Amino acid sequence: MDRISWDQYFMAQSHLLSLRSTCTRLMVGATIVRDKRIIAGGYNGSVSGSVHCVDDGCYVIDGHCVRTVHAEANALLQCAKFGVPTENADIYVTHFPCLQCCKQLIQSGIKTVYYAADYKNHPYAVQLFDEAGVETKKVELKDLAVDTNFQEKQAFVKQLIQLLGDKEQLDDDTLASIQHQAHQIFAN
């Protein structure tokens, strides 16, 4: 049996963390790792105890939601809060870090940034990472999937099967087979 790679394992953790995001624009997760051990995690969301974007909408100024603390910052702040050093640690992020997070990661001593998806990769962030000797590596999550829309897909497929069942020209055996497969895949 092949085991999942370390990069896939930590990236999967970041995708899982992103499911806690309260941002309606982009769900981001970040996992800080040192010596193949998770030392912190974060997701993008509002300040603790404050109103969340999912409840009140985004508070957008100059194209950016100012209500949100980014996933990378939340992970770094978790380390700061509990006295966990980040020097020479790595971070796994679902999306390429923004310019502000780039600067925070450099200042905190992160040595490698692994990211799953490009997202408005700012040229100055790329330059700063390069100047600071922070390596950036794209690691797309491929060994497993984290589906944030599974409920909608499930409802759609159930509705589709019902609609197909209403078609008189559809062969009963074919419909039964499709319904069986859908039940196998989407059974609760």
Side-chain angles (χ1 to χ4, degrees):
M1 177 177 126
D2 290 335
R3 295 191 323 170
I4 189 172
S5 73
W6 286 111
D7 287 344
Q8 290 291 298
Y9 173 76
F10 295 128
M11 192 58 75
Q13 176 70 28
S14 294
H15 280 274
L16 185 61
L17 282 163
S18 75
L19 296 177
R20 289 283 304 155
S21 171
T22 60
C23 178
T24 58
R25 294 162 46 113
L26 183 69
M27 298 169 73
V28 180
T31 305
I32 300 177
V33 175
R34 188 176 45 251
D35 300 324
K36 296 198 179 354
R37 299 290 179 261
I38 296 170
I39 60 172
Y43 53 87
N44 57 330
S46 300
V47 173
S48 297
S50 186
V51 66
H52 295 282
C53 297
V54 293
D55 299 324
D56 250 17
C58 291
Y59 184 13
V60 179
I61 297 175
D62 296 329
H64 298 342
C65 180
V66 297
R67 180 175 284 149
T68 301
V69 179
H70 290 192
E72 302 93 325
N74 271 325
L76 291 171
L77 290 166
Q78 186 180 69
C79 287
K81 185 175 184 176
F82 295 106
V84 178
T86 55
E87 187 70 31
N88 293 318
D90 302 321
I91 191 165
Y92 289 78
V93 191
T94 57
H95 297 79
F96 191 86
C98 73
L99 182 55
Q100 294 304 316
C101 287
C102 159
K103 293 187 278 187
Q104 294 169 19
L105 294 170
I106 291 168
Q107 290 298 94
S108 68
I110 295 293
K111 67 177 181 177
T112 308
V113 175
Y114 298 90
Y115 64 99
D118 291 302
Y119 182 72
K120 301 179 181 179
N121 302 24
H122 196 286
Y124 188 50
V126 173
Q127 178 186 336
L128 287 174
F129 279 140
D130 187 49
E131 290 173 356
V134 174
E135 192 172 0
T136 58
K137 294 183 181 178
K138 190 169 187 177
V139 177
E140 296 179 31
L141 186 62
K142 63 180 180 195
D143 289 342
L144 62 106
V146 177
D147 189 352
T148 59
N149 297 318
F150 75 93
Q151 292 172 325
E152 293 86 352
K153 289 176 183 176
Q154 184 178 18
F156 174 77
V157 170
K158 285 182 179 181
Q159 181 183 16
L160 179 62
I161 290 170
Q162 185 177 13
L163 291 171
L164 289 172
D166 292 341
K167 296 276 186 182
E168 290 185 11
Q169 66 267 27
L170 187 62
D171 176 71
D172 287 342
D173 290 339
T174 303
L175 179 60
S177 175
I178 291 171
Q179 288 174 328
H180 176 74
Q181 281 182 307
H183 181 72
Q184 293 265 329
I185 294 169
F186 294 101
N188 295 338

